[in-house]
Amino acid sequence: MAPTPATAPILFDRALLGARLARARREGAATFLLERATEDMADRLLAVSRSFSAAADIWTPGDGLAEALRGRVASVDPIGFGEMEALGLPPESLDLVVSALAFQFVNDLPGVLAQLRRALKGDGLLLAAMLGGDTLTELRQSFAAAEAECEGGVSPRVAPFADLRDIGALLQRAGFALPVTDVDRVVVRYASAFALMADLRRMGATNVLRERRHTPTRRATMLRMAQIYAERFADPDGRIRATFDIVWLSGWAPHESQPKPLKPGSAKASLEAAVKASSSPEGGGSTRMK
């Protein structure tokens, strides 16, 4: 008997996520991270020396990305947020797929990447940005310490984020050629942990984990969390730091025109020489005050 395919774990309540995103739009969304990713994506596409006629934007909040790509791409079809992760895209129907700050809330990212790979024509491009790496590590650590101290246990508070290496492996697993990943680290400074949490609410990015605690957090725990945050992650002026790692991923649908890897032993330059000659950092970064 053939083995049953493994089912992806359901980590996120996507119905709740949709409600939180809608609330953020009503209350006035905090869009500074999305705007950064949108501008960066437009710049990255300008560096690609080819034109795109049919593109799809997968679950990017708002319409800013489609607007930013206007004139660069002939047609961008926005795929709005859905609770289900089946996209229903026809095979080999697109030559570009983009997405900004949506994939971090996908339950079956390998499955979504496989769908996108099938939807791309030969030599079609996937370019996406998602939160990953050490995003919100300070908040995660502060909540864990406060709950352990005040309540004798820890509950899921901050979503798990994929790292650069994992995402690169998923691109290869989905069948993308020439996969590339890099990270843009953004450090935002806030007056307090509560100001950070207010921004997360306005991003629609508060806790949507299926295993989250369903009862209100005790006031004493929240106050202790904010105190620990300030003790461990504040600058000399008293403002706290919050890390957001925007992970970029790109890959191409295989095509005969693409460069092929060299056969083992055929390289004409040594790796050691290349490493010594290279001194550029892997990713960018910036600091922002809120």
Side-chain angles (χ1 to χ4, degrees):
M1 180 180 296
T4 303
T7 302
I10 306 300
L11 298 177
F12 304 107
D13 183 339
R14 286 183 62 85
L16 179 60
L17 174 60
R20 297 275 172 85
L21 291 171
R23 181 182 67 185
R25 290 193 297 271
R26 291 194 305 270
E27 297 180 355
T31 60
F32 62 93
L33 285 178
L34 184 59
E35 290 170 4
R36 183 186 182 100
T38 295
E39 293 171 5
D40 198 352
M41 186 168 294
D43 290 342
R44 288 171 184 246
L45 284 174
L46 280 175
V48 179
S49 58
R50 61 161 294 181
S51 59
F52 300 101
S53 59
D57 174 9
I58 309 300
W59 300 327
T60 300
D63 55 8
L65 181 55
E67 289 294 324
L69 301 184
R70 192 180 302 279
R72 179 67 183 88
V73 181
S75 173
V76 180
D77 182 19
I79 307 298
F81 174 84
E83 295 179 27
M84 306 303 293
E85 297 176 2
L87 297 168
L89 297 170
E92 299 186 16
S93 59
L94 302 167
D95 50 23
L96 175 67
V97 170
V98 294
S99 179
L101 304 192
F103 286 176
Q104 67 270 11
F105 293 124
V106 170
N107 287 303
D108 184 12
L109 185 55
V112 168
L113 291 177
Q115 292 181 67
L116 299 179
R117 163 64 188 86
R118 288 192 295 270
L120 284 169
K121 303 173 185 177
D123 207 32
L125 173 64
L126 164 68
L127 180 60
M130 61 185 289
L131 293 177
D134 289 331
T135 294
L136 296 177
T137 182
E138 303 91 348
L139 184 62
R140 185 195 310 274
Q141 294 177 51
S142 299
F143 257 126
E147 284 193 311
E149 179 181 318
C150 298
E151 304 186 23
V154 177
S155 62
R157 293 283 184 174
V158 179
F161 292 105
D163 64 23
L164 217 60
R165 184 175 302 176
D166 291 338
I167 294 171
L170 291 179
L171 285 170
Q172 290 183 313
R173 174 179 166 184
F176 283 95
L178 310 174
V180 175
T181 58
D182 64 271
V183 63
D184 174 22
R185 172 161 291 183
V186 184
V187 178
V188 186
R189 303 203 314 137
Y190 288 91
S192 69
F194 298 116
L196 163 62
M197 294 173 70
D199 252 11
L200 294 177
R201 176 186 172 98
R202 293 174 56 227
M203 294 177 193
T206 48
N207 192 354
V208 294
L209 289 167
R210 289 282 297 270
E211 299 302 321
R212 68 191 182 280
R213 175 179 293 187
H214 292 271
T215 56
T217 303
R218 292 166 52 188
R219 183 172 183 272
T221 303
M222 293 293 290
L223 292 174
R224 181 60 179 141
M225 178 278 295
Q227 183 181 30
I228 292 171
Y229 204 132
E231 290 171 353
R232 296 185 182 181
F233 304 109
D235 289 330
D237 62 0
R239 300 183 71 86
I240 63 163
R241 301 181 301 278
T243 298
F244 296 91
D245 280 352
I246 301 176
V247 176
W248 285 90
L249 55 152
S250 65
W252 297 81
H255 190 265
E256 60 184 10
S257 65
Q258 294 167 351
K260 304 297 187 294
L262 294 173
K263 295 180 180 179
S266 63
K268 296 182 179 180
S270 72
L271 176 61
E272 180 181 2
V275 170
K276 288 181 178 179
S278 174
S279 60
S280 61
E282 182 181 359
S286 68
T287 300
R288 177 190 178 99
M289 184 176 293
K290 292 287 286 183

